[in-house]
Amino acid sequence: MEYFKDKVVYQIYLKSFKDSNQDGIGDLRGIIEKLDYLEVLGVDYLWITPFFVSPQNDNGYDIADYLNIDPRFGTMEDLDELIAETDKRGMGLMLDMVFNHTSTHHAWFQRALAGDSEYMDYYIFKDGRSDRLPTNWESKFGGPAWKYAGHLKKWYLHLFHVEQADLNWDNPKVREELKKIIRFWKEKGVRGFRFDVVNLISKPEVFADDNCGDGRRFYTDGHRVHEYLKELVRDTGIEEMITVGEMSSTTVENCIRYSNPEEQELSMCFNFHHLKVDYRNGDKWELMKPDLMALKKLYIKWQIEMQEHNGWNALFLCNHDQPRAISRFGNDGEYWKESAKMLAVSIFLQRGTPYIYQGEELGMTNAYFSDIEQYRDVESRNYYKILLEKGKSKAEAIQTLAARSRDNGRTPMQWNEEMFAGFSKHMPWIPVPDNYQKINAMEEEKDPDSILNFYKQLIQFRKSRKALREGNIAFLYEEHPDVLGYVRYCDGNEIIVLCNLRKKCVELKEAFEHCKYVLGNYEKVEIGVEGLRLREYECVVLEKRIGAIH
Ligand code: GLC
Ligand code: CA
């Protein structure tokens, strides 16, 4: 069952990856066109964001039919071809299962709305008057988490968009329906699954007001979540497949249980604590410079505790819900190349399975949109209004979105210097950032020193060393304000990773004698007896061999 430890996953945000039929929207055939690129990059699995039938209120995370493909993304034949072509290249597809909620356009919800009590029990409806919300919980996209269905005199729960109604997992029929969906895609030849916000599926028995938060403490890592995951995995026979759960506001204790192989729940977990170190007082919409010491401490906590209890982390800095890491923790101007490579190393060689989000391997940056009309995401549009209501000026609200909007990670993949970055010949559904003539795959393929070529080396290096695939981790310079340092070790082989997180030079007293330089983001460093000087955002990877290398 160690099948996923040596693997690298690449996340494809379908809508923005490659448009094959020139309608401005990425699609399945677009992925087929780019499989050679992904094969050369060296990734093993492709996680594709949802392509199921959907009204697209939340870009496909609002699913109206889990067993059919939305025509704007292609056909079942296209998917069959994509599966066959990925298989041929020794890669596998991971599908995104959005099981906490369905679209309100789903047939189940439509029957519920028509008053069919069997289907009302698929969701979370509460009786009540239209002027009295069942609880004061807030939607993750802003506003109340309940919507009134007047003709039923009932409220329904939506932790996300009003058109994403939460499913009632306590109903065994719902669980059976969801298992059928997994079996269906498994039989198609899909090789793994990502489970969307799966730690929110178990709701409390009693729904009460939250006097000190937005309600999340009542439903996050809920009391039956582990039981439900075990049942889902066992009854669909996916124990041997790669699975990852997206865990919202979770704890390390729960992630140990989700990912410890003995529990037979999931292969690994995404958690987001390290991506909140630039939220002022934990509020995403209040800007703050990233607290790099807090970032380090979170890495240390999650790495060490997961290791001690045999849990497994999904390693990532970017996804479709996050601004670009290079713009956030690095420097997307003067030290663009150096800091992109350093950030890659900083996360990639930790203990866990690394994920690359499309464009990250090119050093794609935030979008720097300057007008609300350029934004597409419902969360951004909602919060723009909320920020104005709170008294922020338009300029401040735009500045906040420019740093925090999920659209920063959703702009079209920058393939080449042609119009629309080679993503499409048609105006894309979301604007292309201005920097595509410099930052694009074609340019970087030509440059041996590019971020893209560095990622290729990094992937091969990770695969070539058992210490990186399976070894333990220990941290170095834990209290150092600027340097993230760690060592991975196994069978007498040690890999030492040193990352200067800041735009300044740092002197390390230690000489790292008997170490060989293997990788870095500047020209090769001589390792001597003198100590080590790290330049702006410099990272070096060193190796010490005692025994044979595996
Ligand atoms: C996850 C997805 C995000 C979506 C939300 C609701 O966080 O990654 O894109 O909006 O779940 O499904
Ligand atoms: Ca298209």
Side-chain angles (χ1 to χ4, degrees):
M1 270 252 297
E2 306 281 278
Y3 46 85
F4 52 83
K5 295 200 168 170
D6 57 344
K7 302 293 190 279
V8 175
V9 184
Y10 187 91
Q11 183 192 351
I12 293 180
Y13 194 64
L14 182 57
K15 215 172 168 179
S16 298
F17 189 64
K18 180 74 175 85
D19 175 20
S20 71
N21 62 347
Q22 319 311 336
D23 61 357
I25 300 173
D27 45 53
L28 294 171
R29 300 211 70 82
I31 304 180
I32 299 176
E33 282 177 26
K34 294 296 179 185
L35 284 176
D36 290 343
Y37 169 87
L38 296 166
E39 186 185 3
V40 172
L41 181 58
V43 297
D44 303 288
Y45 287 101
L46 308 177
W47 149 29
I48 306 181
T49 56
F51 47 66
F52 315 102
V53 174
S54 158
Q56 300 285 320
N57 283 306
D58 186 22
N59 285 354
Y61 284 90
D62 48 325
I63 299 176
D65 176 355
Y66 289 85
L67 302 180
N68 281 294
I69 294 175
D70 196 301
R72 78 192 92 198
F73 296 127
T75 63
M76 201 56 94
E77 290 68 45
D78 295 335
L79 183 75
D80 289 335
E81 192 178 324
L82 176 60
I83 293 174
E85 289 296 319
T86 16
D87 272 351
K88 230 194 251 173
R89 291 169 173 81
M91 298 189 281
L93 287 194
M94 290 168 73
L95 297 199
D96 212 324
M97 297 287 111
V98 187
F99 284 174
N100 175 67
H101 42 264
T102 75
S103 165
T104 53
H105 297 241
H106 195 289
W108 303 334
F109 195 82
Q110 288 301 312
R111 286 185 202 135
L113 272 191
D116 182 334
S117 58
E118 183 180 349
Y119 286 95
M120 277 159 82
D121 198 30
Y122 273 43
Y123 295 90
I124 298 170
F125 280 96
K126 296 283 171 207
D127 293 325
R129 287 176 15 199
S130 65
D131 59 352
R132 198 174 296 157
L133 286 152
T135 66
N136 64 352
W137 299 358
E138 282 168 37
S139 150
K140 308 250 181 201
F141 293 160
W146 299 94
K147 163 99 175 150
Y148 200 57
H151 65 294
L152 297 173
K153 294 200 168 50
K154 286 180 201 295
W155 295 87
Y156 72 84
L157 179 70
H158 65 89
L159 294 181
F160 293 88
H161 190 270
V162 287
E163 294 202 4
Q164 288 168 309
D166 280 59
L167 282 165
N168 174 18
W169 276 68
D170 295 336
N171 179 351
K173 282 190 197 154
V174 167
R175 304 202 298 274
E176 290 312 313
E177 299 271 15
L178 300 177
K179 290 174 201 166
K180 279 190 220 155
I181 297 167
I182 302 262
R183 291 187 197 110
F184 176 85
W185 293 111
K186 188 182 164 199
E187 271 167 33
K188 278 255 151 212
V190 156
R191 304 253 303 277
F193 296 98
R194 178 246 188 202
F195 292 97
D196 191 64
V197 292
V198 74
N199 67 328
L200 310 185
I201 58 176
S202 168
K203 307 297 192 284
E205 268 153 25
V206 180
F207 285 69
D209 275 349
D210 191 348
N211 302 320
C212 57
D214 62 4
R216 70 183 64 193
R217 66 196 174 99
F218 291 105
Y219 55 74
T220 303
D221 301 315
H223 64 305
R224 296 181 74 181
V225 63
H226 294 284
E227 169 194 336
Y228 291 156
L229 274 174
K230 285 188 173 71
E231 178 187 311
L232 186 77
V233 167
R234 182 193 65 219
D235 291 358
T236 54
I238 57 171
E239 299 91 335
E240 301 298 321
M241 296 172 87
I242 181 170
T243 52
V244 55
E246 185 201 22
M247 306 304 177
S248 162
S249 300
T250 188
T251 63
V252 94
E253 292 73 24
N254 276 292
C255 286
I256 289 164
R257 291 178 66 189
Y258 294 129
S259 66
N260 182 319
E262 281 166 27
E263 299 282 338
Q264 301 252 313
E265 294 183 17
L266 302 171
S267 318
M268 64 191 95
C269 304
F270 288 117
N271 85 79
F272 296 89
H273 294 283
H274 63 300
L275 297 179
K276 297 182 180 175
V277 297
D278 52 1
Y279 293 7
R280 186 181 300 281
N281 301 323
D283 183 344
K284 169 168 172 177
W285 305 100
E286 291 294 335
L287 301 185
M288 187 179 92
K289 277 201 352 230
D291 179 344
L292 297 176
M293 200 60 189
L295 180 70
K296 265 183 66 166
K297 295 281 171 192
L298 283 162
Y299 283 152
I300 295 171
K301 177 183 166 72
W302 280 81
Q303 286 286 306
I304 298 300
E305 292 184 28
M306 290 289 265
Q307 166 167 287
E308 275 172 3
H309 301 280
N310 205 15
W312 196 253
N313 286 301
L315 305 170
F316 74 109
L317 283 172
C318 289
N319 72 21
H320 64 293
D321 295 327
Q322 297 291 328
R324 293 282 180 179
I326 172 84
S327 303
R328 195 173 177 185
F329 303 117
N331 177 309
D332 62 10
E334 198 186 346
Y335 291 97
W336 166 68
K337 219 185 229 184
E338 291 82 1
S339 64
K341 293 177 184 177
M342 182 278 289
L343 288 170
V345 165
S346 72
I347 190 87
F348 218 87
L349 302 182
Q350 293 188 30
R351 178 180 172 278
T353 298
Y355 284 66
I356 302 171
Y357 177 61
Q358 67 182 47
E360 190 177 9
E361 76 280 18
L362 305 175
M364 274 177 62
T365 68
N366 276 354
Y368 296 108
F369 292 154
S370 54
D371 189 321
I372 187 64
E373 290 309 313
Q374 294 171 297
Y375 286 96
R376 301 288 178 267
D377 183 17
V378 307
E379 185 198 50
S380 301
R381 288 170 167 259
N382 277 353
Y383 269 96
Y384 182 70
K385 285 191 216 122
I386 294 172
L387 292 172
L388 295 185
E389 281 161 19
K390 279 189 179 161
K392 302 241 183 216
S393 69
K394 281 190 179 169
E396 283 170 318
I398 285 294
Q399 194 197 358
T400 305
L401 289 189
R404 294 296 146 87
S405 171
R406 305 195 296 180
D407 282 339
N408 283 308
R410 298 179 176 185
T411 58
M413 179 73 175
Q414 293 170 198
W415 291 109
N416 59 40
E417 56 177 28
E418 286 163 30
M419 196 168 53
F420 307 129
F423 161 75
S424 176
K425 292 195 167 48
H426 185 282
M427 170 88 80
W429 68 279
I430 186 169
V432 178
D434 293 337
N435 58 23
Y436 69 94
Q437 288 182 333
K438 174 181 165 204
I439 304 176
N440 68 64
M442 208 177 182
E443 279 300 309
E444 297 199 26
E445 272 162 359
K446 288 186 274 187
D447 172 9
D449 187 42
S450 65
I451 299 168
L452 176 63
N453 282 315
F454 186 79
Y455 265 91
K456 291 178 194 165
Q457 278 181 43
L458 192 58
I459 294 170
Q460 290 319 315
F461 179 57
R462 186 183 182 281
K463 285 178 187 282
S464 71
R465 296 295 191 275
K466 192 174 173 197
L468 294 174
R469 299 185 307 257
E470 296 169 33
N472 278 348
I473 189 166
F475 283 84
L476 310 168
Y477 302 105
E478 284 194 31
E479 299 303 324
H480 198 293
D482 312 312
V483 175
L484 172 73
Y486 55 86
V487 49
R488 299 289 312 279
Y489 57 96
C490 173
D491 301 342
N493 179 217
E494 282 183 17
I495 314 280
I496 297 153
V497 179
L498 300 165
C499 295
N500 178 2
L501 301 172
R502 297 193 201 266
K503 189 182 146 186
K504 67 176 200 193
C505 292
V506 176
E507 304 279 346
L508 296 178
K509 292 210 182 69
E510 206 170 333
F512 298 100
E513 279 177 274
H514 312 296
C515 287
K516 193 175 140 246
Y517 171 94
V518 265
L519 210 65
N521 58 349
Y522 280 74
E523 65 282 9
K524 191 175 169 187
V525 182
E526 289 305 325
I527 306 297
V529 285
E530 291 284 286
L532 190 62
R533 180 165 181 268
L534 295 174
R535 286 158 280 187
E536 293 86 348
Y537 300 107
E538 181 161 7
C539 63
V540 293
V541 181
L542 308 173
E543 182 165 34
K544 208 184 219 173
R545 312 165 183 217
I546 299 162
I549 295 204
H550 301 267

